[in-house]
Amino acid sequence: GAGVSQTPSNKVTEKGKYVELRCDPISGHTALYWYRQSLGQGPEFLIYFQGTGAADDSGLPNDRFFAVRPEGSVSTLKIQRTERGDSAVYLCASSFGTDNSPLHFGNGTRLTVT
Amino acid sequence: AQSVAQPEDQVNVAEGNPLTVKCTYSVSGNPYLFWYVQYPNRGLQFLLKYITGDNLVKGSYGFEAEFNKSQTSFHLKKPSALVSDSALYFCAVRDAKDNFNKFYFGSGTKLNVKP
């Protein structure tokens, strides 16, 4: 079946602009996660949804970052007033949300802020 | 606080030789442990997990990992490496006491398998 889909695969934007990154999880997966991966680093947790609600948004770096999942499926990560330090690969993952469920990752969106 | 350490940035092995990629963890409760592999410009792919039971778990592509509670380790192993195993490997832990299902990842180990 289809895996986790992320669009766009690449996004180049100017400093100060607004961007939206989209994630389409595996059908039936109730849990959805956003992670950020910088070069040479492991994925860093941003936010976790169980259904439509954000169960844990403690990883969002500041109030310029926001994510939604209005119907419990597709999620959008929104970044306002982008800064060069926001440049990274943004990974989305989904799972069944049970104790032993592994994460299934998309291929990520590479965001470059110039 | 929960954390994962992968002490080696890079591991080099010859094709056909056994390989080990090291991982140690720290959690307050019982650990759920995972290994992922990442190929260039791709997302992370799940390899195997330890939740409970037998300390030796087997996963995809001939990989296995051994959970050692006393050493808080979960090293990834393969008896005979292939050139195609060359990739970036990440260890991850979830604390069973963590209601929000948060996964913590190590910084990754680059595996180079030489022909």
Side-chain angles (χ1 to χ4, degrees):
Chain A
V4 177
S5 175
Q6 289 188 248
T7 54
S9 55
N10 281 284
K11 176 70 177 178
V12 180
T13 190
E14 292 180 349
K15 178 176 178 295
K17 298 289 189 183
Y18 168 83
V19 297
E20 290 190 352
L21 312 180
R22 176 189 167 105
C23 173
D24 201 339
I26 292 172
S27 178
H29 279 188
T30 58
L32 186 145
Y33 305 74
W34 284 99
Y35 280 81
R36 179 167 68 177
Q37 187 176 23
S38 300
L39 194 63
Q41 300 294 321
E44 173 192 16
F45 172 80
L46 294 177
I47 187 169
Y48 157 62
F49 288 90
Q50 182 61 260
T52 59
D56 186 349
D57 64 359
S58 62
L60 295 177
N62 52 59
D63 61 5
R64 295 187 297 106
F65 288 75
F66 189 71
V68 296
R69 195 186 184 199
E71 297 179 357
S73 178
V74 170
S75 176
T76 304
L77 178 65
K78 308 180 180 192
I79 310 175
Q80 298 177 323
R81 304 183 304 279
T82 51
E83 300 177 356
R84 293 194 179 89
D86 298 335
S87 297
V89 176
Y90 289 82
L91 296 169
C92 177
S94 68
S95 80
F96 285 112
T98 56
D99 280 356
N100 61 357
S101 300
L103 301 182
H104 297 267
F105 283 86
N107 287 335
T109 294
R110 182 176 298 278
L111 175 65
T112 303
V113 182
T114 61
Chain B
Q2 294 88 338
S3 66
V4 176
Q6 293 182 241
E8 302 153 318
D9 289 337
Q10 187 166 294
V11 170
N12 300 311
V13 297
E15 188 173 31
N17 283 0
L19 70 88
T20 299
V21 182
K22 295 179 180 177
C23 171
T24 58
Y25 66 89
S26 174
V27 294
S28 56
N30 289 323
Y32 295 165
L33 294 153
F34 303 80
W35 274 102
Y36 288 82
V37 60
Q38 187 176 34
Y39 296 99
N41 300 314
R42 302 296 299 271
L44 280 69
Q45 295 177 32
F46 169 69
L47 277 180
L48 51 77
K49 65 182 179 183
Y50 171 83
I51 303 298
T52 188
D54 194 347
N55 289 343
L56 184 65
V57 294
K58 295 184 184 296
S60 306
Y61 313 119
F63 283 94
E64 57 189 31
E66 186 165 13
F67 170 62
N68 187 316
K69 187 173 183 178
S70 63
Q71 296 185 5
T72 61
S73 67
F74 189 57
H75 300 332
L76 182 70
K77 301 183 181 186
K78 188 173 182 181
S80 178
L82 300 173
V83 172
S84 58
D85 292 330
S86 298
L88 197 53
Y89 289 81
F90 290 96
C91 181
V93 67
R94 230 202 90 209
D95 191 334
K97 292 170 65 175
D98 186 350
N99 292 328
F100 296 117
N101 224 357
K102 189 183 296 184
F103 290 69
Y104 296 86
F105 286 84
S107 56
T109 299
K110 185 178 181 183
L111 175 64
N112 296 314
V113 182
K114 301 289 176 58

